Amino acid sequence: MTKQAIFDAPQQVIFGTPMDTGALVQQVQQADSLRHWQVEQGNKLTFRCDLSPADIVYGLGEQVRSINKRGGRYVSYNTDNPHHTDDMPSLYGSHNLLIVDCATPFGAFFDTPGKVIFEVDWQNSGQIVVTCPKDVSVVELFGDSPYDIAKQFLHLIGRSFIPPLWAFGFGQSRWGYKNQRDLDSVAEGYRGNGMPLDWICMDIDYMDRYIDFTVNAKRFPDLAAYAAKMKQKGIRLVPIIDAGVKIEPGNPTYDEGIAKGYFCTNKEGKPFKAAVWPGMTHFPDFFQPQCRSWFGNEYRKLTDLGIEGFWNDMNEPAIFYSEYTGVLNALTPPPSDDSAKESNAYKDYRNFYHNINGQRVLHDDVHNLYGALMTRAASEQLDKQLDRRFLLFSRSSYVGAHRYGGIWTGDNASDWDHLVRNVRMMPSLNMVGFLYSGADTGGFGGNCGRELLLRWLAFSTFTPLMRNHTAVLTRRQECYRYAGTQDFCDILSLRYRLLPYIYSEFVKAALHGDMYIKPLAFEYDDERSKQVDDQLLVGESIMIAPVVEKGASGRFVWLPEEMTEVRYNGKNFSCEQIPKGLRRIDVKLNEVVFYIRPNKCVPVTKAAICTDLSDLADVTLLGTGSQYRQYIDDGFTKDVTESNIVIVYKK
Ligand code: GLC
């Protein structure tokens, strides 16, 4: 064996008896000790490694702060918390991967469903300190570069979820759409203004009193007919499903869950009661395989009506109050012994249990896997119910769930900082397999102004999940509700013109175990590229530099090499060769500027109002390359293979 091969093979060191989280799909060779970490064993395990001043630390997926995680303290403990500030240690997902760019780059994945604390040069310690439960598997990865290590990791965790083509179209959502009339007005608002739209989300109000797998018959008297009518217009309906099942004898989902013992149990061994949107609920025990089949099967009540996409929510699980705490969690202060501003549901997570292979396991010990297993439950059964690919995305996640669905990044706000955070988070999500991801464009909480929405749409044009979503009681956030609708048409049309590229690059990344969105530093090793975290590489050809500042007429862009600058104004692409270096560009509110790397191409097609009317085979190539490897299929076939990649030549 060559030195290189020994150096490159990932290795796994097992501490205690960790449970199989399902994150990895490949075998990893076992080792007795870690190469980069000192281990202290106690009640918890502590792993330490030294950092040099210039080392960069990537990873952690859905987390706050920069692409470079240095200087932060992060807690993997899935949390329903809308305050996505830089000192918020926990968001909705746990993705325990670190990649250290140093003299001999390495990565480490801390595979445990319990809480993990990452202190990355926290308070200038010059170290990474990771605190884990005592049962954990640690996978170390070695490679030539951080990018190489990320690809090795993607290989270990398996192919990312690939939704149908329509899921790459634009989606509109709002918590507060109640009935067909509301959805009709959204469809009409988009179609009437010549704005593209492929899907509309149905938030909790479509249900009968927020009860999963029910449809409010007054609001949607014939959902099957309605979904079919919408589909004819090129618009799919995407209902929400929440984790908690309302306690209501007589409801078939509830009755079956009780009869078969599918719910999580409390200290006394009875189904645990916690309040979420429907009032008191029980939580399905997704750790039981039969429970997963049962819950996933319930989606049939909607797929039988023609539904082909879902979003899974409140699956951290979010708890407003429980039979034990009794008061609104939101009113309970966080524990004083932990500087982390964790969700107050933490108390409840120590009050209920799962049945894992006949063992009673405290929820807190396996907390981070709950949402991921809900996604798996839905995905495995949707795959059986539908003869085509489906859309599925979740709020809570763990590595492994990326094979079953996508994620959105939860309840952000209509704030420029949240746009910045969205930009920075995308490459980290890609490192851990969540290629199909995106934020609530325009922001969930608060009132989104026109300028912010336009700039945010311009960025979301490049994220696989592109959905405008907002909370009840905020101002109307549909694009046609703003003055100067033509500007919105101009931006939205770019998404559809770029679909041949976005779809191809996404599918190729999934097929090849690659990232769809990367930091600049994964391809360029100059010092400036290593620091930039407001520019990203999208697929193999594009670099973007989104405008993320209020009132800005443009921005500075770092070009690590000569590139083709492409300016799109809603009608035309104008291209110009730009030399390497720092450049100030103007970007009008109705424009998007992006860059094509040398000798690369970007296929563009004609604008369309929905993906059903897009012709992905009719493309023109932009850029200085001479050919492009394009993935083309019918947009829904389950058989996504290399053989669907064709070479397109420049005319
Ligand atoms: C949660 C979700 C949000 C949804 C709301 C109502 O806050 O994150 O997207 O609109 O619940 O269902």
Side-chain angles (χ1 to χ4, degrees):
M1 213 189 269
T2 64
K3 188 164 179 265
Q4 185 68 23
I6 295 168
F7 185 72
D8 277 345
Q11 66 167 41
Q12 182 178 37
V13 180
I14 303 218
F15 297 86
T17 47
M19 78 176 279
D20 180 5
T21 63
L24 305 186
V25 295
Q26 302 288 336
Q27 289 283 333
V28 183
Q29 75 182 37
Q30 305 289 309
D32 294 333
S33 60
L34 296 170
R35 287 194 216 164
H36 287 273
W37 304 82
Q38 285 135 31
V39 189
E40 286 158 33
Q41 315 228 14
N43 232 355
K44 304 237 175 243
L45 284 175
T46 306
F47 300 90
R48 286 176 199 277
C49 78
D50 291 331
L51 290 173
S52 297
D55 295 349
I56 295 176
V57 184
Y58 297 100
L60 296 182
E62 187 173 4
Q63 264 297 356
V64 292
R65 298 173 59 92
S66 292
I67 297 175
N68 181 355
K69 296 296 172 201
R70 273 191 93 124
R73 179 180 184 275
Y74 313 88
V75 180
S76 281
Y77 196 68
N78 296 350
T79 299
D80 169 24
N81 191 330
H83 306 291
H84 306 179
T85 55
D86 269 0
D87 65 346
M88 189 54 63
S90 306
L91 295 175
Y92 310 84
S94 289
H95 310 131
N96 302 336
L97 173 74
L98 294 175
I99 300 177
V100 183
D101 187 13
C102 55
T104 51
F106 65 95
F109 176 55
F110 298 85
D111 195 8
T112 163
K115 183 194 279 187
V116 184
I117 301 170
F118 296 90
E119 291 169 319
V120 186
D121 193 20
W122 174 236
Q123 305 190 73
N124 291 324
S125 67
Q127 288 193 322
I128 303 179
V129 183
V130 182
T131 312
C132 284
K134 57 184 179 15
D135 298 312
V136 62
S137 140
V138 183
V139 177
E140 277 192 297
L141 302 120
F142 317 99
D144 296 338
S145 66
Y147 186 24
D148 177 32
I149 289 167
K151 284 192 282 194
Q152 286 184 48
F153 185 66
L154 290 170
H155 173 72
L156 292 185
I157 62 174
R159 195 176 103 179
S160 296
F161 165 77
I162 303 177
L165 175 64
W166 64 264
F168 293 85
F170 177 62
Q172 178 63 51
S173 184
R174 176 180 175 85
W175 174 14
Y177 297 154
K178 284 202 160 45
N179 48 33
Q180 291 183 191
R181 215 177 39 246
D182 289 347
L183 301 193
D184 281 339
S185 85
V186 174
E188 187 41 42
Y190 276 91
R191 289 288 179 265
N193 284 286
M195 290 174 175
L197 183 71
D198 258 83
W199 46 289
I200 302 178
C201 283
M202 296 163 72
D203 207 321
I204 46 174
D205 294 294
Y206 81 86
M207 300 180 196
D208 176 18
R209 292 169 296 132
Y210 310 143
I211 303 177
D212 273 348
F213 311 115
T214 64
V215 177
N216 183 314
K218 278 209 186 91
R219 295 171 176 184
F220 294 91
D222 185 349
L223 183 58
Y226 186 64
K229 190 182 103 188
M230 281 295 215
K231 191 171 168 178
Q232 273 183 355
K233 296 183 191 166
I235 298 172
R236 266 77 169 178
L237 302 180
V238 179
I240 195 169
I241 301 291
D242 284 344
V245 172
K246 185 174 172 67
I247 300 177
E248 183 154 282
N251 172 267
T253 311
Y254 170 81
D255 287 346
E256 191 174 347
I258 288 287
K260 305 251 172 80
Y262 288 154
F263 293 122
C264 299
T265 48
N266 64 14
K267 291 175 181 164
E268 291 80 38
K270 304 258 165 45
F272 172 71
K273 293 182 194 162
V276 206
W277 299 128
M280 276 299 184
T281 67
H282 294 322
F283 293 132
D285 184 0
F286 294 117
F287 287 84
Q288 300 178 34
Q290 299 89 331
C291 167
R292 287 202 294 274
S293 311
W294 156 74
F295 195 84
N297 235 322
E298 293 291 288
Y299 286 70
R300 194 182 282 282
K301 291 179 177 156
L302 292 149
T303 53
D304 278 351
L305 305 180
I307 299 297
E308 297 167 32
F310 294 90
W311 46 315
N312 281 348
D313 191 23
M314 309 303 275
N315 50 0
E316 292 71 29
I319 299 179
F320 298 159
Y321 60 88
S322 78
E323 58 183 311
Y324 296 107
T325 49
V327 292
L328 271 181
N329 278 320
L331 304 177
T332 320
S336 55
D337 61 342
D338 192 331
S339 58
K341 294 178 191 161
E342 287 155 12
S343 152
N344 299 306
Y346 73 94
K347 282 188 193 143
D348 289 318
Y349 296 150
R350 291 171 202 150
N351 280 329
F352 68 96
Y353 297 83
H354 300 281
N355 173 352
I356 305 181
N357 303 323
Q359 303 265 24
R360 198 164 146 80
V361 177
L362 184 64
H363 173 78
D364 194 49
D365 294 336
V366 292
H367 171 67
N368 291 338
L369 216 47
Y370 188 78
L373 289 175
M374 180 183 180
T375 306
R376 179 174 168 191
S379 187
E380 285 181 336
Q381 297 306 318
L382 287 171
D383 193 35
K384 291 186 187 148
Q385 289 159 29
L386 295 164
D387 62 356
R388 52 193 55 218
R389 301 200 308 260
F390 50 85
L391 171 58
L392 178 65
F393 57 101
S394 167
R395 194 171 72 177
S396 183
S397 64
Y398 183 82
V399 176
H402 71 286
R403 300 192 300 273
Y404 298 102
I407 50 174
W408 93 100
T409 57
D411 296 346
N412 62 359
S414 302
D415 193 312
W416 290 88
D417 281 354
H418 287 246
L419 169 54
V420 172
R421 213 155 273 133
N422 184 191
V423 175
R424 292 170 173 169
M425 208 184 274
M426 289 308 297
S428 308
L429 292 176
N430 275 252
M431 285 172 216
V432 292
F434 288 98
L435 304 190
Y436 191 80
S437 53
D440 286 348
T441 299
F444 177 73
N447 302 312
C448 185
R450 181 175 191 275
E451 182 191 0
L452 177 59
L453 185 54
L454 281 165
R455 293 301 197 199
W456 209 322
L457 287 166
F459 171 65
S460 299
T461 294
F462 299 93
T463 66
L465 165 60
M466 183 187 191
R467 177 181 75 145
N468 176 339
H469 178 49
T470 187
V472 67
L473 302 180
T474 63
R475 71 150 288 174
R476 299 304 300 239
Q477 198 168 289
E478 300 85 7
C479 298
Y480 58 86
R481 300 275 185 171
Y482 291 81
T485 50
Q486 187 55 45
D487 289 353
F488 291 86
C489 292
D490 291 346
I491 303 278
L492 287 173
S493 71
L494 179 61
R495 171 69 170 210
Y496 285 75
R497 298 205 66 179
L498 282 174
L499 272 176
Y501 180 77
I502 292 169
Y503 188 56
S504 292
E505 290 305 307
F506 180 95
V507 175
K508 286 192 291 181
L511 285 177
H512 301 156
D514 206 337
M515 294 164 69
Y516 164 80
I517 294 187
K518 290 174 287 217
L520 255 55
F522 276 28
E523 295 276 4
Y524 299 100
D525 61 4
D526 62 275
E527 279 314 304
R528 196 156 204 143
S529 294
K530 285 188 180 172
Q531 305 306 327
V532 168
D533 71 359
D534 61 353
Q535 296 179 211
L536 300 171
L537 297 171
V538 179
E540 63 175 32
S541 312
I542 290 183
M543 179 182 82
I544 56 169
V547 177
V548 292
E549 198 188 328
K550 184 174 171 53
S553 58
R555 58 164 289 165
F556 281 95
V557 181
W558 168 243
L559 287 125
E561 60 183 334
E562 179 180 319
M563 293 190 188
T564 310
E565 184 179 275
V566 184
R567 184 172 292 271
Y568 180 72
N569 62 6
K571 282 162 209 65
N572 307 312
F573 294 96
S574 53
C575 298
E576 191 187 345
Q577 285 308 111
I578 305 293
K580 168 181 173 167
L582 191 65
R583 175 182 159 83
R584 156 88 208 172
I585 55 159
D586 283 335
V587 187
K588 296 200 192 86
L589 273 180
N590 71 335
E591 284 180 335
V592 184
V593 175
F594 61 93
Y595 296 84
I596 304 180
R597 299 168 64 191
N599 303 315
K600 302 275 185 198
C601 281
V602 173
V604 294
T605 187
K606 298 200 179 67
I609 53 150
C610 60
T611 53
D612 286 349
L613 298 178
S614 298
D615 184 356
L616 268 51
D618 177 17
V619 297
T620 311
L621 298 189
L622 306 176
T624 56
S626 55
Q627 62 180 52
Y628 178 75
R629 282 164 52 79
Q630 189 182 351
Y631 178 86
I632 305 186
D633 65 6
D634 55 17
F636 58 82
T637 178
K638 287 188 175 181
D639 198 16
V640 180
T641 61
E642 276 296 304
S643 58
N644 292 336
I645 299 176
V646 297
I647 298 184
V648 188
Y649 295 96
K650 204 162 183 176
K651 287 183 195 120

Coordinates of all heavy atoms in Angstrom, one line a residue, residues 578-608:
I578 N -13.7 39.6 -17.0 CA -13.2 40.5 -15.9 C -11.9 39.9 -15.4 O -11.9 38.7 -15.0 CB -14.2 40.5 -14.7 CG1 -15.6 41.0 -15.2 CG2 -13.7 41.4 -13.6 CD1 -15.7 42.4 -15.7
P579 N -10.9 40.7 -15.3 CA -9.6 40.1 -14.8 C -9.7 39.8 -13.3 O -10.5 40.3 -12.6 CB -8.6 41.2 -15.1 CG -9.4 42.5 -15.2 CD -10.8 42.1 -15.6
K580 N -8.7 39.0 -12.9 CA -8.6 38.6 -11.5 C -8.4 39.8 -10.6 O -7.8 40.8 -11.1 CB -7.3 37.7 -11.4 CG -6.7 37.5 -10.1 CD -5.5 36.6 -10.3 CE -4.9 36.5 -8.9 NZ -3.9 35.5 -8.8
G581 N -8.9 39.8 -9.4 CA -8.7 40.9 -8.5 C -10.0 41.4 -7.8 O -11.0 40.7 -7.9
L582 N -9.8 42.4 -7.1 CA -11.0 43.0 -6.3 C -11.7 44.0 -7.2 O -11.0 44.9 -7.8 CB -10.5 43.6 -5.0 CG -11.6 43.9 -4.0 CD1 -12.3 42.7 -3.5 CD2 -10.9 44.7 -2.8
R583 N -13.0 43.9 -7.3 CA -13.7 44.8 -8.2 C -15.0 45.2 -7.5 O -15.7 44.5 -6.8 CB -14.0 43.9 -9.4 CG -14.9 44.6 -10.4 CD -15.1 43.6 -11.6 NE -16.3 44.0 -12.4 CZ -16.3 44.9 -13.3 NH1 -15.2 45.5 -13.7 NH2 -17.4 45.2 -14.0
R584 N -15.3 46.5 -7.7 CA -16.6 47.0 -7.2 C -17.6 46.9 -8.3 O -17.4 47.3 -9.5 CB -16.3 48.4 -6.8 CG -17.5 49.4 -6.7 CD -18.2 49.4 -5.4 NE -19.6 49.7 -5.7 CZ -20.6 49.7 -4.8 NH1 -20.4 49.3 -3.6 NH2 -21.8 50.1 -5.2
I585 N -18.8 46.3 -8.0 CA -19.8 46.2 -9.1 C -21.1 46.9 -8.6 O -21.4 46.9 -7.4 CB -20.1 44.8 -9.5 CG1 -20.5 44.0 -8.2 CG2 -19.0 44.1 -10.2 CD1 -21.3 42.7 -8.6
D586 N -21.8 47.4 -9.6 CA -23.2 47.9 -9.3 C -24.2 46.9 -9.6 O -24.0 46.2 -10.6 CB -23.5 49.2 -10.2 CG -22.8 50.4 -9.6 OD1 -22.5 50.4 -8.4 OD2 -22.5 51.3 -10.4
V587 N -25.1 46.7 -8.8 CA -26.2 45.7 -9.1 C -27.5 46.4 -8.8 O -27.9 46.7 -7.6 CB -26.1 44.4 -8.2 CG1 -27.1 43.4 -8.6 CG2 -24.6 43.9 -8.3
K588 N -28.3 46.6 -9.8 CA -29.6 47.2 -9.6 C -30.6 46.2 -8.9 O -30.3 45.0 -9.0 CB -30.2 47.7 -10.9 CG -29.4 48.8 -11.6 CD -30.3 49.4 -12.7 CE -29.5 50.3 -13.6 NZ -28.9 49.5 -14.8
L589 N -31.7 46.7 -8.4 CA -32.6 45.9 -7.6 C -33.2 44.8 -8.5 O -33.6 43.8 -8.0 CB -33.6 46.7 -6.9 CG -33.3 47.2 -5.5 CD1 -34.5 48.0 -5.0 CD2 -32.9 46.1 -4.6
N590 N -33.3 45.1 -9.8 CA -34.0 44.1 -10.7 C -32.9 43.3 -11.4 O -33.3 42.6 -12.4 CB -34.9 44.8 -11.7 CG -34.2 45.5 -12.7 OD1 -33.0 46.0 -12.5 ND2 -34.8 45.7 -13.9
E591 N -31.7 43.3 -11.0 CA -30.6 42.6 -11.7 C -30.0 41.5 -10.8 O -30.0 41.6 -9.6 CB -29.5 43.6 -12.0 CG -29.8 44.5 -13.2 CD -28.5 45.4 -13.4 OE1 -27.7 45.6 -12.5 OE2 -28.4 45.9 -14.6
V592 N -29.4 40.5 -11.5 CA -28.6 39.6 -10.8 C -27.3 39.5 -11.6 O -27.3 39.4 -12.8 CB -29.2 38.2 -10.7 CG1 -28.3 37.2 -9.9 CG2 -30.6 38.2 -10.1
V593 N -26.2 39.6 -10.8 CA -24.8 39.5 -11.5 C -24.2 38.2 -10.9 O -24.3 37.9 -9.7 CB -23.9 40.7 -11.1 CG1 -22.5 40.5 -11.7 CG2 -24.6 41.9 -11.7
F594 N -23.7 37.3 -11.8 CA -23.0 36.2 -11.4 C -21.8 36.0 -12.3 O -21.6 36.7 -13.3 CB -23.9 34.9 -11.3 CG -24.5 34.5 -12.6 CD1 -23.9 33.5 -13.4 CD2 -25.7 35.0 -13.0 CE1 -24.5 33.1 -14.6 CE2 -26.3 34.5 -14.2 CZ -25.7 33.6 -15.0
Y595 N -20.9 35.0 -11.9 CA -19.6 34.9 -12.6 C -19.5 33.4 -13.1 O -19.9 32.5 -12.4 CB -18.5 35.2 -11.6 CG -18.5 36.7 -11.3 CD1 -19.4 37.1 -10.2 CD2 -17.9 37.7 -12.0 CE1 -19.5 38.5 -9.9 CE2 -18.0 39.0 -11.7 CZ -18.8 39.4 -10.7 OH -19.0 40.7 -10.4
I596 N -18.9 33.3 -14.3 CA -18.6 32.0 -14.8 C -17.1 31.7 -14.8 O -16.3 32.6 -15.3 CB -19.2 31.7 -16.2 CG1 -20.7 32.1 -16.2 CG2 -19.0 30.3 -16.7 CD1 -21.4 31.9 -17.5
R597 N -16.7 30.6 -14.3 CA -15.3 30.3 -14.2 C -14.7 30.0 -15.6 O -15.4 29.6 -16.5 CB -15.1 29.2 -13.2 CG -15.6 29.5 -11.8 CD -15.6 28.3 -10.9 NE -14.3 27.8 -10.7 CZ -14.1 26.6 -10.1 NH1 -15.1 25.8 -9.7 NH2 -12.9 26.2 -9.9
P598 N -13.4 30.2 -15.7 CA -12.8 30.0 -17.1 C -13.0 28.6 -17.6 O -12.9 27.7 -16.8 CB -11.3 30.4 -16.9 CG -11.1 30.5 -15.4 CD -12.4 30.7 -14.7
N599 N -13.2 28.5 -18.9 CA -13.4 27.2 -19.6 C -14.5 26.4 -19.1 O -14.6 25.2 -19.1 CB -12.1 26.4 -19.5 CG -10.9 27.1 -20.1 OD1 -11.0 27.8 -21.1 ND2 -9.8 27.2 -19.3
K600 N -15.5 27.1 -18.5 CA -16.7 26.5 -18.0 C -17.9 27.1 -18.7 O -17.8 28.2 -19.2 CB -16.9 26.7 -16.5 CG -15.8 26.2 -15.6 CD -15.9 24.7 -15.4 CE -14.8 24.3 -14.4 NZ -14.6 22.8 -14.4
C601 N -19.0 26.3 -18.7 CA -20.2 26.8 -19.3 C -21.4 26.8 -18.4 O -21.4 26.0 -17.4 CB -20.6 25.9 -20.5 SG -19.6 26.3 -21.9
V602 N -22.4 27.6 -18.7 CA -23.7 27.5 -17.9 C -24.8 27.5 -19.0 O -24.9 28.4 -19.8 CB -23.9 28.8 -17.1 CG1 -25.3 28.9 -16.5 CG2 -22.8 28.8 -16.0
P603 N -25.6 26.4 -19.0 CA -26.7 26.3 -19.9 C -27.9 27.1 -19.5 O -28.2 27.0 -18.3 CB -27.0 24.8 -20.0 CG -26.6 24.3 -18.6 CD -25.5 25.2 -18.1
V604 N -28.4 27.9 -20.3 CA -29.7 28.6 -19.9 C -30.8 28.3 -20.9 O -30.5 28.1 -22.1 CB -29.4 30.2 -19.9 CG1 -28.5 30.5 -18.7 CG2 -28.9 30.7 -21.2
T605 N -32.0 28.3 -20.5 CA -33.1 28.1 -21.3 C -34.0 29.3 -21.4 O -33.7 30.4 -20.8 CB -33.9 26.8 -20.9 OG1 -34.9 26.5 -21.9 CG2 -34.5 26.9 -19.5
K606 N -35.2 29.2 -22.0 CA -36.1 30.3 -22.0 C -36.9 30.4 -20.7 O -37.0 29.4 -20.0 CB -37.1 30.1 -23.2 CG -36.5 30.0 -24.5 CD -37.5 30.3 -25.6 CE -36.8 30.2 -27.0 NZ -36.3 28.8 -27.3
A607 N -37.4 31.6 -20.4 CA -38.1 31.8 -19.2 C -39.4 31.0 -19.3 O -40.0 30.8 -20.4 CB -38.4 33.3 -19.0
A608 N -40.0 30.6 -18.2 CA -41.3 29.9 -18.2 C -42.0 30.2 -16.9 O -41.3 30.6 -15.9 CB -41.0 28.4 -18.3

